[in-house]
Amino acid sequence: AITLALGNARNALEQHDGALALFDSILVTQPTHREALLARLLSLSYLRRHYDAVRAATQMIDLGTYHIGDAYYWRAWNRYQVHELPSAWNVVEHATKLMVNTAVYTLAGFIAYAQRDLDTAIDRLDRAYRMDNTNCEAAWTEGMVHVDKEQWEHSFARFTPAARCLGAEAKAAREE
């Protein structure tokens, strides 16, 4: 438990190499420890070791039970990072069936936008923003999709709250 907590703290401090070593040390003796597997997956993702992260996510999915939705999300996220868009899309759509949150719908919107499926991108990004109106990225990106579709009123309707949201984030960051 201490090693897991220390690894999570290192991930939070963006010391992902050190975190990864800690999670790997847990997995030597407990190879199916789901919390360590998920945390290891995050470390690999943040280290931009995308193919290793995909393998780690697949391992979690194959084990079944705990954190399956997270494993699908991170597998899709890593596939998106290496521009394997059709695969990323299939995986993220599966993730949306297992967990419903703003992050998974934002990622689905990004992937749809990258594939130029603009209507689907708008749908997913709108869902993400409705789930969490502090999701600045979803609002801003949806505005960009509307610009691509030359839907100026709709883009303005998303850029306005996105600008307020980003302003609030900047203020919070300065205070922090």
Side-chain angles (χ1 to χ4, degrees):
I2 293 169
T3 305
L4 184 65
L6 184 56
N8 286 329
R10 286 201 172 170
N11 257 351
L13 294 170
E14 299 182 13
Q15 299 170 357
H16 305 299
D17 283 317
L20 182 61
L22 291 167
F23 301 132
D24 283 343
S25 74
I26 294 168
L27 295 169
V28 167
T29 58
Q30 299 175 59
T32 61
H33 191 291
R34 300 312 197 280
E35 299 297 327
L37 287 168
L38 179 58
R40 180 177 189 276
L41 172 55
L42 297 178
S43 294
L44 290 168
S45 299
Y46 294 139
L47 287 167
R48 297 184 177 141
R49 291 176 50 186
H50 301 298
Y51 293 106
D52 291 335
V54 167
R55 281 189 291 279
T58 301
Q59 177 189 5
M60 288 183 67
I61 292 164
D62 290 346
L63 285 173
T65 64
Y66 311 111
H67 303 301
I68 299 299
D70 291 309
Y72 275 103
Y73 171 85
W74 284 103
R75 185 160 69 176
W77 186 88
N78 280 285
R79 293 259 188 230
Y80 173 67
Q81 297 304 313
V82 294
H83 307 288
E84 294 177 359
L85 300 177
S87 176
W89 177 253
N90 290 334
V91 177
V92 81
E93 281 295 281
H94 198 77
T96 62
K97 293 174 178 72
L98 297 171
M99 57 191 236
V100 177
N101 65 39
T102 191
V104 74
Y105 280 104
T106 301
L107 178 58
F110 288 170
I111 296 167
Y113 188 31
Q115 294 188 110
R116 308 305 297 161
D117 183 352
L118 303 183
D119 291 330
T120 301
I122 289 169
D123 175 71
R124 299 309 189 275
L125 293 164
D126 180 61
R127 283 188 199 187
Y129 184 71
R130 280 186 282 127
M131 286 179 188
D132 177 5
N133 67 1
T134 65
N135 185 338
C136 308
E137 289 182 306
W140 184 265
T141 305
E142 185 183 342
M144 294 300 299
V145 177
H146 286 297
V147 166
D148 285 2
K149 291 186 72 164
E150 298 182 4
Q151 297 174 332
W152 312 120
E153 280 186 39
H154 293 295
S155 64
F156 180 76
R158 273 301 181 244
F159 283 141
T160 301
R164 279 194 298 270
C165 180
L166 292 166
E169 279 190 359
K171 180 182 177 195
R174 279 191 302 275
E175 289 172 357
E176 203 174 290

